[in-house]
Amino acid sequence: MKRLLLACLMATALVPGAARAEVIVSTIVEVLVDGGNNYNWQKVELPGTKCGNGSQFKFWVHRTGSPNLMFLFEGGGACWDYDTCSGRAGLLGAANPNGIGDDYITQFTAKYVSPLVNGADPGLPGRSKKDLVTKGWNIVYVPYCTGDVHVGNNVKTYVDQTGANPPLTWHHSGYTNTIAVANYAKTQFPNVQKMLMTGYSAGGTATAAGYYFLRKTMNPARGYLLNDSGPIFLAPNATYRSRALHDKIRQSWNLDSVFSLLPASFNMNDFGSINRMVATEFPNDQLAYTGYTRDYNYSRFSYERFHTPNDQESVHGYWKQDQDRLVQELNLYNNFSYFIPHHRAINASHCSTIITFIGAHACQKMEKKRYWYEYLEFPFTQTYKCYSEMVGMDVFLSRFINDNQRVRIYEPTNWYNNEDPGMQIVAPLINGALGG
């Protein structure tokens, strides 16, 4: 079966780009990503909750009888002007600008994007499918349609600078939606043992920005936070590269009305202090950040429209500086873990818990091979080797959630994943399915 699948993937890789993406999505993605769910989901619509375009906000609940509960907050960009909120900006704009359909939970993103939701890391060529610590948990799946990382609290009118379209009234109602989700979940799951709040990209940012509110509402016996690739970097003044972004969203999303509700351990003039606030307010909870050093998606949001030069390597440089500061900050708190691989050629190194965990591993001592005979090891083209423990995302999650261990791995610069033959086949196909 795996040989047949490998042959199919190699053949599909020869199809031209646009056609290849369509072929993947329509014919082999269910094989390529052997982790999609067919759960029984309950759609929930609550009064007063809205998507950005004013339509009804929807979220979904899956019940299992487990004492544990996971909240998954979707990612998908952000917006603060006409182009990014209307959908015209494409990838660098807000997800789902036209709202959430009734069948959303059966579509590609909800069905395949999160191994954590699906309870298993997909089996790909040469790799077995692995159950994850979240298998069998209750799930609250929170789509993203407000462009405000699930915490905005404003209604804005954005003008089309080209004059081609009328002004756009946009509801940054992420905070209202998130609080409504939390209050509803409390009625359905009143006695949660382990609660995991996780999300990727904008949803990762939501875990940091919204954990205090969700945690206080749910009051589980044990709380866990996993922020995938949505860091809120330190930015106490304008010399910090992320300050310009923070100032922009603070105004557009009326974040003062939300962040003023946080305890005094949060500094309103430095959004990055939210990591300290969460760590100190919930010292017995396990908190973690994961993401890639070579992220070229969230990093573009952070700097590309605010700084020059803004070429790719300059953006990577800004990101690395902010990430180093983040790691130094997290080191101050005993309950904060981090899992930071260097690079993988899936989704521009953005998000380490989506689609598949292939390439989502980290090694503290990843180096160029030291000895000539190591180049005789298969695969022969691999020039890097892990001289400490190679920790996969599934292992990290088990240690973090099941064992309550603090795990800290900040992988050095390497191109191990680029030299992985399996990654060379799978990455273009997954990127095609993702539309990139």
Side-chain angles (χ1 to χ4, degrees):
M1 175 61 183
K2 289 184 176 178
R3 288 183 180 178
L4 176 60
L5 173 57
L6 185 57
C8 291
L9 297 179
M10 294 178 69
T12 308
L14 301 177
V15 178
R20 184 174 67 236
E22 183 177 349
V23 168
I24 296 166
V25 173
S26 62
T27 63
I28 70 166
V29 74
E30 291 203 27
V31 180
L32 175 67
V33 184
D34 180 22
N37 72 77
N38 292 299
Y39 296 153
N40 292 319
W41 292 99
Q42 175 196 358
K43 182 182 68 174
V44 183
E45 301 178 1
L46 299 176
T49 60
K50 296 180 180 179
C51 285
N53 67 348
S55 63
Q56 176 65 54
F57 173 71
K58 306 174 180 73
F59 65 98
W60 278 264
V61 176
H62 172 57
R63 293 178 173 81
T64 66
S66 168
N68 304 323
L69 173 64
M70 177 175 66
F71 290 86
L72 187 286
F73 282 75
E74 270 191 357
C79 74
W80 50 78
D81 56 25
Y82 184 92
D83 284 355
T84 52
C85 288
S86 67
R88 191 159 65 190
L91 179 65
L92 291 185
N96 301 310
N98 299 315
I100 303 295
D102 288 338
D103 64 345
Y104 186 81
I105 199 68
T106 65
Q107 296 175 13
F108 181 87
T109 298
K111 187 171 183 179
Y112 292 107
V113 78
S114 178
L116 286 164
V117 167
N118 300 331
D121 179 27
L124 294 173
R127 301 171 69 244
S128 298
K129 186 173 181 177
K130 296 180 181 178
D131 288 345
L132 302 179
V133 296
T134 55
K135 183 176 181 180
W137 285 31
N138 299 292
I139 303 166
V140 176
Y141 189 97
V142 187
Y144 182 43
C145 61
T146 53
D148 56 11
V149 303
H150 299 273
V151 293
N153 189 33
N154 208 8
V155 179
K156 291 281 288 186
T157 298
Y158 295 116
V159 176
D160 183 357
Q161 297 300 316
T162 71
N165 298 287
L168 174 67
T169 298
W170 191 261
H171 300 263
H172 291 295
S173 56
Y175 174 73
T176 297
N177 296 349
T178 296
I179 295 301
V181 168
N183 288 333
Y184 178 84
K186 181 62 175 178
T187 67
Q188 304 299 303
F189 306 101
N191 299 300
V192 174
Q193 291 301 305
K194 292 182 177 181
M195 183 200 84
L196 169 64
M197 182 181 184
T198 188
Y200 57 91
S201 192
T205 311
T207 65
Y211 186 77
Y212 177 83
F213 303 112
L214 192 68
R215 177 68 168 81
K216 283 290 189 180
T217 300
M218 296 303 300
N219 192 30
R222 292 299 301 261
Y224 299 83
L225 179 160
L226 178 63
N227 176 347
D228 180 5
S229 303
I232 303 180
F233 288 134
L234 292 165
N237 57 59
T239 66
Y240 287 71
R241 295 284 184 179
S242 288
R243 183 58 182 249
L245 169 66
H246 294 178
D247 287 345
K248 169 60 73 173
I249 62 176
R250 182 177 191 165
Q251 184 274 327
S252 290
W253 303 345
N254 189 23
L255 289 180
D256 283 6
S257 68
V258 175
F259 287 168
S260 63
L261 303 175
L262 296 175
S265 50
F266 172 71
N267 179 358
M268 186 77 79
N269 293 315
D270 182 3
F271 285 1
S273 67
I274 206 158
N275 299 299
R276 175 185 65 206
M277 181 276 292
V278 172
T280 56
E281 291 295 323
F282 307 108
N284 296 319
D285 287 5
Q286 291 293 328
L287 318 169
Y289 168 73
T290 183
Y292 288 88
T293 298
R294 295 290 290 184
D295 187 312
Y296 194 53
N297 182 303
Y298 198 97
S299 61
R300 294 179 66 191
F301 275 96
S302 299
Y303 316 114
E304 194 172 72
R305 283 174 274 184
F306 303 103
H307 300 289
T308 56
N310 60 3
D311 59 280
Q312 183 170 348
E313 287 310 310
S314 294
V315 167
H316 281 313
Y318 305 150
W319 179 266
K320 181 64 163 60
Q321 184 179 43
D322 269 345
Q323 183 175 263
D324 286 347
R325 287 173 173 155
L326 174 65
V327 168
Q328 292 171 8
E329 174 76 2
L330 300 187
N331 281 337
L332 300 176
Y333 311 110
N334 289 330
N335 55 342
F336 242 117
S337 296
Y338 47 80
F339 186 82
I340 308 175
H342 182 69
H343 169 271
R344 72 170 174 173
I346 293 175
N347 200 35
S349 295
H350 182 51
C351 303
S352 52
T353 66
I354 64 167
I355 305 294
T356 172
F357 291 168
I358 184 172
H361 46 64
C363 171
Q364 194 65 57
K365 294 184 179 180
M366 182 72 79
E367 303 173 15
K368 278 284 190 176
K369 290 181 175 178
R370 299 171 181 173
Y371 309 106
W372 66 266
Y373 53 82
E374 292 175 329
Y375 287 85
L376 301 178
E377 300 170 351
F378 182 82
F380 308 119
T381 55
Q382 182 60 262
T383 64
Y384 289 90
K385 184 171 183 175
C386 178
Y387 289 98
S388 58
E389 183 185 12
M390 182 76 87
V391 180
M393 176 58 71
D394 59 315
V395 174
F396 166 75
L397 290 169
S398 179
R399 292 175 180 175
F400 170 64
I401 297 175
N402 277 353
D403 302 333
N404 292 306
Q405 289 184 16
R406 186 186 71 193
V407 182
R408 292 177 171 174
I409 305 176
Y410 191 176
E411 193 173 68
T413 300
N414 72 90
W415 303 104
Y416 180 96
N417 279 333
N418 276 4
E419 297 176 358
D420 181 338
M423 179 68 75
Q424 291 169 5
I425 295 171
V426 169
L429 299 179
I430 292 177
N431 289 332
L434 292 173

